[in-house]
Amino acid sequence: MDEKTKSSKWEGKVSRELETIKADQIWPLFEDFCTIHKWLPTINTCHHVEGVHGQPGLVRYCESSSNDIIKWCHEKLISIDPVERNLSYEVKENNIGFKHYVAEQKVIEIESGCKIEWLFVADPIEGWGLEDLFGYIESSLNGMVDRMEKVHIL
């Protein structure tokens, strides 16, 4: 990896449409920042650490485990806009390898339902390529949407 690649930021966006489910039905699932474990299949637990629910500054603890290896991070809510249905957060302390990671999640009304967009900016992660991070986020979004669709179909 050359110096330019080392110092550059990774940026990307993934999205997925939900047919027949409106943005105002899905947004509350994102707005409740400390319940991501209900929707993101790779997260085993998520809980409030500090701050006021629904307000910037809120910090959540997220944990996943696989083969007796525990991965964890603290994520801080940077902004939240229930009218525009978007939020942004950053990964703080973690043992995953993130030095800098900021994400924005948007729930956008479309004619047939809604679209969820997940945008990110990150420093390169040792042992990963941009395509690895992009694939992880895309897989995460797909897993979340699949779970959210099942809840609204039932």
Side-chain angles (χ1 to χ4, degrees):
M1 185 182 301
D2 64 25
E3 279 306 309
K4 186 174 186 231
T5 305
K6 284 183 183 177
S7 64
S8 65
K9 297 282 185 194
W10 289 350
E11 297 183 43
K13 176 175 88 171
V14 297
S15 64
R16 171 125 174 237
E17 292 184 10
L18 288 86
E19 298 293 324
T20 72
I21 302 173
K22 296 294 183 187
D24 62 353
Q25 295 173 293
I26 290 296
W27 170 247
L29 308 181
F30 283 89
E31 188 174 33
D32 191 355
F33 192 64
C34 293
T35 61
I36 191 72
H37 62 293
K38 293 180 180 180
W39 314 115
L40 185 54
T42 57
I43 302 295
N44 301 102
T45 188
C46 176
H47 62 81
H48 173 261
V49 174
E50 65 184 38
V52 178
H53 286 282
Q55 298 295 314
L58 173 68
V59 177
R60 68 184 176 192
Y61 170 84
C62 298
E63 181 183 293
S64 65
S65 60
S66 176
N67 300 322
D68 295 326
I69 297 172
I70 295 174
K71 300 283 188 174
W72 63 271
C73 68
H74 286 132
E75 296 177 341
K76 182 177 182 179
L77 187 62
I78 299 170
S79 67
I80 185 164
D81 185 338
V83 175
E84 294 294 322
R85 291 185 294 265
N86 65 56
L87 63 80
S88 62
Y89 68 92
E90 64 181 321
V91 172
K92 302 301 274 180
E93 301 85 18
N94 70 90
N95 72 345
I96 303 166
F98 289 110
K99 302 285 188 246
H100 172 80
Y101 175 90
V102 175
E104 181 179 10
Q105 295 173 331
K106 301 178 181 182
V107 181
I108 303 163
E109 192 78 34
I110 58 174
E111 189 174 320
S112 62
C114 69
K115 177 169 72 168
I116 299 170
E117 292 183 347
W118 187 333
L119 301 88
F120 67 89
V121 177
D123 284 343
I125 304 165
E126 189 173 330
W128 290 40
L130 173 57
E131 64 282 351
D132 299 318
L133 180 58
F134 184 87
Y136 172 76
I137 292 172
E138 184 173 49
S139 172
S140 295
L141 178 59
N142 286 331
M144 288 174 65
V145 168
D146 290 346
R147 285 187 172 187
M148 290 174 175
E149 284 179 322
K150 285 179 186 171
V151 167
H152 282 279
I153 290 171
L154 298 175

